[in-house]
mmCIF file of all heavy atoms in Angstrom:
data_model
loop_
_atom_site.group_PDB
_atom_site.id
_atom_site.type_symbol
_atom_site.label_atom_id
_atom_site.label_comp_id
_atom_site.label_asym_id
_atom_site.label_seq_id
_atom_site.Cartn_x
_atom_site.Cartn_y
_atom_site.Cartn_z
ATOM 1 N N LEU J 1 -46.428 56.401 54.217
ATOM 2 C CA LEU J 1 -46.021 56.227 52.958
ATOM 3 C C LEU J 1 -46.745 57.223 52.041
ATOM 4 O O LEU J 1 -48.061 56.978 51.721
ATOM 5 C CB LEU J 1 -46.191 54.776 52.462
ATOM 6 C CG LEU J 1 -45.357 53.687 53.024
ATOM 7 C CD1 LEU J 1 -45.871 52.359 52.754
ATOM 8 C CD2 LEU J 1 -43.831 53.919 52.746
ATOM 9 N N ASN J 2 -46.128 58.164 51.621
ATOM 10 C CA ASN J 2 -46.756 59.177 50.776
ATOM 11 C C ASN J 2 -46.776 58.808 49.276
ATOM 12 O O ASN J 2 -45.682 58.861 48.604
ATOM 13 C CB ASN J 2 -46.108 60.520 50.873
ATOM 14 C CG ASN J 2 -46.791 61.599 50.127
ATOM 15 O OD1 ASN J 2 -47.877 61.447 49.428
ATOM 16 N ND2 ASN J 2 -46.238 62.843 50.107
ATOM 17 N N MET J 3 -47.924 58.346 48.617
ATOM 18 C CA MET J 3 -47.989 57.971 47.256
ATOM 19 C C MET J 3 -48.830 59.011 46.524
ATOM 20 O O MET J 3 -49.260 58.626 45.444
ATOM 21 C CB MET J 3 -48.488 56.594 47.171
ATOM 22 C CG MET J 3 -47.714 55.569 48.015
ATOM 23 S SD MET J 3 -48.167 53.900 47.784
ATOM 24 C CE MET J 3 -47.577 53.480 46.226
ATOM 25 N N ILE J 4 -48.930 60.258 46.984
ATOM 26 C CA ILE J 4 -49.594 61.180 46.281
ATOM 27 C C ILE J 4 -48.656 61.610 45.044
ATOM 28 O O ILE J 4 -47.565 62.092 45.333
ATOM 29 C CB ILE J 4 -49.942 62.490 47.073
ATOM 30 C CG1 ILE J 4 -50.708 62.062 48.270
ATOM 31 C CG2 ILE J 4 -50.700 63.532 46.252
ATOM 32 C CD1 ILE J 4 -52.031 61.558 48.019
ATOM 33 N N ALA J 5 -49.257 61.478 43.884
ATOM 34 C CA ALA J 5 -48.258 61.760 42.641
ATOM 35 C C ALA J 5 -47.900 63.234 42.536
ATOM 36 O O ALA J 5 -46.791 63.477 41.895
ATOM 37 C CB ALA J 5 -48.937 61.316 41.435
ATOM 38 N N SER J 6 -48.549 64.139 43.029
ATOM 39 C CA SER J 6 -48.166 65.498 42.980
ATOM 40 C C SER J 6 -47.495 66.085 44.140
ATOM 41 O O SER J 6 -47.496 67.311 44.346
ATOM 42 C CB SER J 6 -49.503 66.286 42.756
ATOM 43 O OG SER J 6 -50.471 66.074 43.803
ATOM 44 N N GLU J 7 -46.905 65.130 45.047
ATOM 45 C CA GLU J 7 -46.180 65.638 46.068
ATOM 46 C C GLU J 7 -44.772 65.046 46.121
ATOM 47 O O GLU J 7 -44.533 64.074 45.457
ATOM 48 C CB GLU J 7 -46.906 65.292 47.490
ATOM 49 C CG GLU J 7 -48.251 66.005 47.709
ATOM 50 C CD GLU J 7 -48.871 65.536 48.962
ATOM 51 O OE1 GLU J 7 -48.198 64.938 49.833
ATOM 52 O OE2 GLU J 7 -50.074 66.068 49.253
ATOM 53 N N ASN J 8 -43.905 65.681 46.928
ATOM 54 C CA ASN J 8 -42.554 65.246 47.008
ATOM 55 C C ASN J 8 -42.000 65.797 48.322
ATOM 56 O O ASN J 8 -42.579 66.362 48.998
ATOM 57 C CB ASN J 8 -41.772 65.660 45.805
ATOM 58 C CG ASN J 8 -40.619 64.767 45.370
ATOM 59 O OD1 ASN J 8 -40.092 64.059 46.303
ATOM 60 N ND2 ASN J 8 -40.290 64.784 44.096
ATOM 61 N N LEU J 9 -40.621 65.541 48.495
ATOM 62 C CA LEU J 9 -39.909 65.978 49.680
ATOM 63 C C LEU J 9 -38.784 66.916 49.112
ATOM 64 O O LEU J 9 -37.980 66.524 48.228
ATOM 65 C CB LEU J 9 -39.134 64.838 50.333
ATOM 66 C CG LEU J 9 -40.121 63.827 51.074
ATOM 67 C CD1 LEU J 9 -39.238 62.784 51.649
ATOM 68 C CD2 LEU J 9 -40.824 64.573 52.181
ATOM 69 N N VAL J 10 -38.779 68.219 49.592
ATOM 70 C CA VAL J 10 -37.783 69.053 49.111
ATOM 71 C C VAL J 10 -36.549 68.905 49.994
ATOM 72 O O VAL J 10 -36.544 68.217 51.028
ATOM 73 C CB VAL J 10 -38.145 70.539 49.231
ATOM 74 C CG1 VAL J 10 -39.428 70.794 48.374
ATOM 75 C CG2 VAL J 10 -38.392 70.970 50.802
ATOM 76 N N SER J 11 -35.364 69.257 49.492
ATOM 77 C CA SER J 11 -34.107 69.180 50.231
ATOM 78 C C SER J 11 -34.126 70.178 51.482
ATOM 79 O O SER J 11 -35.001 71.141 51.387
ATOM 80 C CB SER J 11 -32.879 69.526 49.341
ATOM 81 O OG SER J 11 -32.928 70.935 49.026
ATOM 82 N N LYS J 12 -33.178 70.002 52.345
ATOM 83 C CA LYS J 12 -33.179 70.902 53.541
ATOM 84 C C LYS J 12 -32.722 72.360 53.072
ATOM 85 O O LYS J 12 -33.127 73.381 53.606
ATOM 86 C CB LYS J 12 -32.194 70.439 54.585
ATOM 87 C CG LYS J 12 -32.700 69.238 55.405
ATOM 88 C CD LYS J 12 -31.822 68.886 56.537
ATOM 89 C CE LYS J 12 -32.408 67.810 57.373
ATOM 90 N NZ LYS J 12 -31.507 67.486 58.531
ATOM 91 N N ALA J 13 -31.949 72.284 51.955
ATOM 92 C CA ALA J 13 -31.556 73.695 51.398
ATOM 93 C C ALA J 13 -32.683 74.359 50.905
ATOM 94 O O ALA J 13 -32.807 75.643 51.020
ATOM 95 C CB ALA J 13 -30.519 73.376 50.234
ATOM 96 N N VAL J 14 -33.583 73.746 50.248
ATOM 97 C CA VAL J 14 -34.936 74.320 49.777
ATOM 98 C C VAL J 14 -35.620 74.865 50.872
ATOM 99 O O VAL J 14 -36.180 75.993 50.910
ATOM 100 C CB VAL J 14 -35.710 73.421 48.863
ATOM 101 C CG1 VAL J 14 -37.057 74.142 48.419
ATOM 102 C CG2 VAL J 14 -34.897 73.210 47.493
ATOM 103 N N LEU J 15 -35.848 73.985 51.904
ATOM 104 C CA LEU J 15 -36.516 74.364 53.166
ATOM 105 C C LEU J 15 -35.899 75.717 53.783
ATOM 106 O O LEU J 15 -36.630 76.639 54.141
ATOM 107 C CB LEU J 15 -36.503 73.313 54.171
ATOM 108 C CG LEU J 15 -37.475 72.160 53.945
ATOM 109 C CD1 LEU J 15 -37.190 71.084 55.083
ATOM 110 C CD2 LEU J 15 -38.907 72.578 53.920
ATOM 111 N N GLU J 16 -34.598 75.806 53.851
ATOM 112 C CA GLU J 16 -33.963 76.917 54.531
ATOM 113 C C GLU J 16 -34.177 78.235 53.597
ATOM 114 O O GLU J 16 -34.327 79.294 54.146
ATOM 115 C CB GLU J 16 -32.444 76.644 54.661
ATOM 116 C CG GLU J 16 -32.230 75.581 55.712
ATOM 117 C CD GLU J 16 -30.811 75.186 55.805
ATOM 118 O OE1 GLU J 16 -29.888 75.883 55.216
ATOM 119 O OE2 GLU J 16 -30.388 74.265 56.646
ATOM 120 N N ALA J 17 -34.109 78.003 52.361
ATOM 121 C CA ALA J 17 -34.299 79.229 51.445
ATOM 122 C C ALA J 17 -35.731 79.642 51.555
ATOM 123 O O ALA J 17 -35.975 81.017 51.691
ATOM 124 C CB ALA J 17 -33.965 78.890 50.049
ATOM 125 N N GLN J 18 -36.706 78.722 51.564
ATOM 126 C CA GLN J 18 -38.084 79.108 51.651
ATOM 127 C C GLN J 18 -38.401 79.774 53.021
ATOM 128 O O GLN J 18 -39.301 80.629 53.012
ATOM 129 C CB GLN J 18 -38.898 77.984 51.418
ATOM 130 C CG GLN J 18 -40.397 78.147 51.432
ATOM 131 C CD GLN J 18 -41.223 77.088 50.818
ATOM 132 O OE1 GLN J 18 -40.638 76.262 50.199
ATOM 133 N NE2 GLN J 18 -42.468 77.068 51.090
ATOM 134 N N GLY J 19 -37.707 79.364 54.051
ATOM 135 C CA GLY J 19 -37.922 79.971 55.440
ATOM 136 C C GLY J 19 -37.002 81.058 55.737
ATOM 137 O O GLY J 19 -36.627 81.283 56.891
ATOM 138 N N SER J 20 -36.554 81.846 54.765
ATOM 139 C CA SER J 20 -35.455 82.944 54.901
ATOM 140 C C SER J 20 -36.042 84.314 55.044
ATOM 141 O O SER J 20 -37.174 84.543 54.976
ATOM 142 C CB SER J 20 -34.500 82.828 53.729
ATOM 143 O OG SER J 20 -35.181 83.384 52.635
ATOM 144 N N VAL J 21 -35.138 85.217 55.307
ATOM 145 C CA VAL J 21 -35.507 86.632 55.517
ATOM 146 C C VAL J 21 -36.071 87.238 54.245
ATOM 147 O O VAL J 21 -36.556 88.376 54.293
ATOM 148 C CB VAL J 21 -34.297 87.398 56.042
ATOM 149 C CG1 VAL J 21 -33.834 87.070 57.431
ATOM 150 C CG2 VAL J 21 -33.059 87.457 55.033
ATOM 151 N N LEU J 22 -35.970 86.488 53.139
ATOM 152 C CA LEU J 22 -36.576 87.130 51.893
ATOM 153 C C LEU J 22 -38.145 87.232 52.018
ATOM 154 O O LEU J 22 -38.765 88.011 51.205
ATOM 155 C CB LEU J 22 -36.090 86.125 50.689
ATOM 156 C CG LEU J 22 -34.651 86.257 50.364
ATOM 157 C CD1 LEU J 22 -34.445 85.604 48.920
ATOM 158 C CD2 LEU J 22 -34.064 87.631 50.252
ATOM 159 N N THR J 23 -38.625 86.463 52.955
ATOM 160 C CA THR J 23 -40.083 86.618 53.150
ATOM 161 C C THR J 23 -40.340 88.106 53.588
ATOM 162 O O THR J 23 -41.565 88.434 53.517
ATOM 163 C CB THR J 23 -40.589 85.652 54.159
ATOM 164 O OG1 THR J 23 -41.983 85.590 54.070
ATOM 165 C CG2 THR J 23 -40.189 85.907 55.631
ATOM 166 N N ASN J 24 -39.428 88.841 54.123
ATOM 167 C CA ASN J 24 -39.634 90.190 54.522
ATOM 168 C C ASN J 24 -39.750 91.161 53.500
ATOM 169 O O ASN J 24 -40.213 92.341 53.750
ATOM 170 C CB ASN J 24 -38.615 90.626 55.526
ATOM 171 C CG ASN J 24 -38.479 89.646 56.787
ATOM 172 O OD1 ASN J 24 -39.556 89.171 57.156
ATOM 173 N ND2 ASN J 24 -37.361 89.542 57.355
ATOM 174 N N LYS J 25 -39.318 90.836 52.256
ATOM 175 C CA LYS J 25 -39.117 91.904 51.200
ATOM 176 C C LYS J 25 -40.271 91.857 50.157
ATOM 177 O O LYS J 25 -40.608 90.794 49.621
ATOM 178 C CB LYS J 25 -37.802 91.510 50.412
ATOM 179 C CG LYS J 25 -37.332 92.628 49.544
ATOM 180 C CD LYS J 25 -37.031 93.893 50.226
ATOM 181 C CE LYS J 25 -36.933 95.168 49.358
ATOM 182 N NZ LYS J 25 -38.328 95.798 49.256
ATOM 183 N N TYR J 26 -40.849 92.993 49.972
ATOM 184 C CA TYR J 26 -41.845 93.204 48.975
ATOM 185 C C TYR J 26 -41.115 93.768 47.725
ATOM 186 O O TYR J 26 -40.373 94.732 47.776
ATOM 187 C CB TYR J 26 -42.819 94.264 49.504
ATOM 188 C CG TYR J 26 -44.226 94.167 48.777
ATOM 189 C CD1 TYR J 26 -44.855 92.835 48.631
ATOM 190 C CD2 TYR J 26 -44.837 95.145 48.218
ATOM 191 C CE1 TYR J 26 -46.159 92.759 47.979
ATOM 192 C CE2 TYR J 26 -46.125 95.093 47.649
ATOM 193 C CZ TYR J 26 -46.761 93.781 47.448
ATOM 194 O OH TYR J 26 -47.878 93.649 46.842
ATOM 195 N N ALA J 27 -41.304 93.139 46.627
ATOM 196 C CA ALA J 27 -40.599 93.361 45.418
ATOM 197 C C ALA J 27 -41.443 93.409 44.132
ATOM 198 O O ALA J 27 -41.162 92.665 43.189
ATOM 199 C CB ALA J 27 -39.454 92.397 45.243
ATOM 200 N N GLU J 28 -42.545 94.135 44.270
ATOM 201 C CA GLU J 28 -43.553 94.260 43.084
ATOM 202 C C GLU J 28 -42.720 94.742 41.900
ATOM 203 O O GLU J 28 -42.013 95.773 41.870
ATOM 204 C CB GLU J 28 -44.593 95.197 43.421
ATOM 205 C CG GLU J 28 -45.858 95.128 42.668
ATOM 206 C CD GLU J 28 -46.981 95.989 43.168
ATOM 207 O OE1 GLU J 28 -46.796 97.135 43.276
ATOM 208 O OE2 GLU J 28 -47.919 95.401 43.569
ATOM 209 N N GLY J 29 -42.937 94.033 40.724
ATOM 210 C CA GLY J 29 -42.331 94.404 39.554
ATOM 211 C C GLY J 29 -41.332 93.294 39.151
ATOM 212 O O GLY J 29 -41.412 92.071 39.462
ATOM 213 N N TYR J 30 -40.249 93.658 38.314
ATOM 214 C CA TYR J 30 -39.280 92.686 37.874
ATOM 215 C C TYR J 30 -37.795 93.261 38.180
ATOM 216 O O TYR J 30 -37.667 94.427 38.504
ATOM 217 C CB TYR J 30 -39.346 92.362 36.318
ATOM 218 C CG TYR J 30 -40.625 91.636 36.030
ATOM 219 C CD1 TYR J 30 -41.890 92.285 35.700
ATOM 220 C CD2 TYR J 30 -40.615 90.215 36.274
ATOM 221 C CE1 TYR J 30 -42.965 91.410 35.459
ATOM 222 C CE2 TYR J 30 -41.739 89.372 35.864
ATOM 223 C CZ TYR J 30 -42.915 90.024 35.610
ATOM 224 O OH TYR J 30 -44.061 89.317 35.230
ATOM 225 N N PRO J 31 -36.909 92.442 38.227
ATOM 226 C CA PRO J 31 -35.425 92.901 38.477
ATOM 227 C C PRO J 31 -35.126 94.077 37.680
ATOM 228 O O PRO J 31 -35.325 94.132 36.403
ATOM 229 C CB PRO J 31 -34.544 91.682 38.110
ATOM 230 C CG PRO J 31 -35.523 90.555 38.413
ATOM 231 C CD PRO J 31 -36.892 91.012 38.001
ATOM 232 N N GLY J 32 -34.718 95.159 38.282
ATOM 233 C CA GLY J 32 -34.265 96.357 37.637
ATOM 234 C C GLY J 32 -35.453 97.231 37.383
ATOM 235 O O GLY J 32 -35.260 98.433 36.826
ATOM 236 N N ALA J 33 -36.651 96.901 37.577
ATOM 237 C CA ALA J 33 -37.898 97.747 37.405
ATOM 238 C C ALA J 33 -38.828 97.467 38.476
ATOM 239 O O ALA J 33 -40.001 97.126 38.329
ATOM 240 C CB ALA J 33 -38.482 97.399 35.977
ATOM 241 N N ARG J 34 -38.478 97.602 39.745
ATOM 242 C CA ARG J 34 -39.300 97.293 40.976
ATOM 243 C C ARG J 34 -40.092 98.642 41.314
ATOM 244 O O ARG J 34 -39.579 99.744 40.905
ATOM 245 C CB ARG J 34 -38.398 96.929 42.112
ATOM 246 C CG ARG J 34 -37.662 95.664 41.816
ATOM 247 C CD ARG J 34 -38.348 94.418 41.745
ATOM 248 N NE ARG J 34 -37.512 93.246 41.823
ATOM 249 C CZ ARG J 34 -37.955 91.965 41.644
ATOM 250 N NH1 ARG J 34 -39.203 91.715 41.440
ATOM 251 N NH2 ARG J 34 -37.061 90.990 41.654
ATOM 252 N N TYR J 35 -41.113 98.429 42.049
ATOM 253 C CA TYR J 35 -41.878 99.646 42.546
ATOM 254 C C TYR J 35 -41.502 100.008 43.879
ATOM 255 O O TYR J 35 -42.079 100.828 44.562
ATOM 256 C CB TYR J 35 -43.372 99.349 42.479
ATOM 257 C CG TYR J 35 -43.833 99.324 41.042
ATOM 258 C CD1 TYR J 35 -43.584 98.474 40.078
ATOM 259 C CD2 TYR J 35 -44.674 100.340 40.566
ATOM 260 C CE1 TYR J 35 -44.008 98.538 38.795
ATOM 261 C CE2 TYR J 35 -45.128 100.557 39.323
ATOM 262 C CZ TYR J 35 -44.778 99.472 38.413
ATOM 263 O OH TYR J 35 -45.201 99.485 37.137
ATOM 264 N N TYR J 36 -40.510 99.302 44.536
ATOM 265 C CA TYR J 36 -40.049 99.628 45.923
ATOM 266 C C TYR J 36 -38.479 99.660 45.768
ATOM 267 O O TYR J 36 -37.842 99.018 44.969
ATOM 268 C CB TYR J 36 -40.454 98.457 46.810
ATOM 269 C CG TYR J 36 -41.911 98.429 47.066
ATOM 270 C CD1 TYR J 36 -42.743 97.667 46.169
ATOM 271 C CD2 TYR J 36 -42.566 99.162 47.902
ATOM 272 C CE1 TYR J 36 -44.024 97.584 46.255
ATOM 273 C CE2 TYR J 36 -43.938 99.028 48.013
ATOM 274 C CZ TYR J 36 -44.721 98.242 47.274
ATOM 275 O OH TYR J 36 -46.026 98.280 47.351
ATOM 276 N N GLY J 37 -37.897 100.313 46.804
ATOM 277 C CA GLY J 37 -36.409 100.404 46.978
ATOM 278 C C GLY J 37 -36.024 99.090 47.695
ATOM 279 O O GLY J 37 -36.791 98.298 48.177
ATOM 280 N N GLY J 38 -34.606 98.985 47.811
ATOM 281 C CA GLY J 38 -34.049 97.988 48.742
ATOM 282 C C GLY J 38 -34.014 96.530 48.007
ATOM 283 O O GLY J 38 -34.185 95.547 48.672
ATOM 284 N N CYS J 39 -34.128 96.432 46.647
ATOM 285 C CA CYS J 39 -34.377 95.204 45.987
ATOM 286 C C CYS J 39 -33.049 94.719 45.375
ATOM 287 O O CYS J 39 -33.153 93.684 44.589
ATOM 288 C CB CYS J 39 -35.408 95.369 44.891
ATOM 289 S SG CYS J 39 -37.055 95.662 45.527
ATOM 290 N N ALA J 40 -31.917 95.270 45.658
ATOM 291 C CA ALA J 40 -30.672 94.810 44.929
ATOM 292 C C ALA J 40 -30.496 93.275 45.120
ATOM 293 O O ALA J 40 -30.149 92.623 44.130
ATOM 294 C CB ALA J 40 -29.541 95.586 45.589
ATOM 295 N N TRP J 41 -30.684 92.820 46.404
ATOM 296 C CA TRP J 41 -30.296 91.355 46.514
ATOM 297 C C TRP J 41 -31.510 90.407 46.050
ATOM 298 O O TRP J 41 -31.194 89.329 45.474
ATOM 299 C CB TRP J 41 -30.000 91.061 47.938
ATOM 300 C CG TRP J 41 -28.825 91.794 48.378
ATOM 301 C CD1 TRP J 41 -28.647 92.805 49.187
ATOM 302 C CD2 TRP J 41 -27.386 91.420 47.921
ATOM 303 N NE1 TRP J 41 -27.246 93.125 49.191
ATOM 304 C CE2 TRP J 41 -26.560 92.241 48.548
ATOM 305 C CE3 TRP J 41 -26.957 90.419 47.120
ATOM 306 C CZ2 TRP J 41 -25.091 92.243 48.333
ATOM 307 C CZ3 TRP J 41 -25.582 90.267 46.821
ATOM 308 C CH2 TRP J 41 -24.658 91.190 47.504
ATOM 309 N N VAL J 42 -32.676 90.800 46.129
ATOM 310 C CA VAL J 42 -33.815 90.040 45.561
ATOM 311 C C VAL J 42 -33.780 90.039 44.131
ATOM 312 O O VAL J 42 -34.070 89.024 43.401
ATOM 313 C CB VAL J 42 -35.112 90.340 46.206
ATOM 314 C CG1 VAL J 42 -35.253 90.001 47.614
ATOM 315 C CG2 VAL J 42 -35.531 91.802 45.819
ATOM 316 N N ASP J 43 -33.261 91.173 43.461
ATOM 317 C CA ASP J 43 -33.101 91.168 42.035
ATOM 318 C C ASP J 43 -32.172 90.090 41.652
ATOM 319 O O ASP J 43 -32.352 89.341 40.678
ATOM 320 C CB ASP J 43 -32.557 92.562 41.593
ATOM 321 C CG ASP J 43 -33.754 93.556 41.524
ATOM 322 O OD1 ASP J 43 -34.839 93.198 41.775
ATOM 323 O OD2 ASP J 43 -33.463 94.757 41.026
ATOM 324 N N ARG J 44 -31.010 89.945 42.326
ATOM 325 C CA ARG J 44 -29.969 88.916 41.996
ATOM 326 C C ARG J 44 -30.603 87.564 42.209
ATOM 327 O O ARG J 44 -30.323 86.668 41.342
ATOM 328 C CB ARG J 44 -28.684 89.145 42.912
ATOM 329 C CG ARG J 44 -28.032 90.388 42.608
ATOM 330 C CD ARG J 44 -26.670 90.447 43.452
ATOM 331 N NE ARG J 44 -25.766 89.479 43.044
ATOM 332 C CZ ARG J 44 -24.485 89.388 43.586
ATOM 333 N NH1 ARG J 44 -24.067 90.355 44.408
ATOM 334 N NH2 ARG J 44 -23.713 88.469 43.152
#
């Protein structure tokens, strides 16, 4: 029984997004003003 007030359970959808291929992408900067190429999808 987890009664830690600062914890919770995320949905499976959140888990899947967090464990996705986006972990492979370095995107220093902000959308439209990145310091690396290949950021079209992470910008979105």
Side-chain angles (χ1 to χ4, degrees):
L1 293 171
N2 180 9
M3 303 185 74
I4 306 293
S6 52
E7 295 183 6
N8 208 334
L9 296 175
V10 301
S11 68
K12 286 188 175 180
V14 169
L15 283 176
E16 290 176 6
Q18 185 165 342
S20 68
V21 296
L22 294 190
T23 196
N24 300 330
K25 188 70 193 90
Y26 202 50
E28 198 171 62
Y30 289 98
R34 305 288 191 185
Y35 285 74
Y36 297 88
C39 290
W41 292 108
V42 293
D43 278 5
R44 291 185 65 173

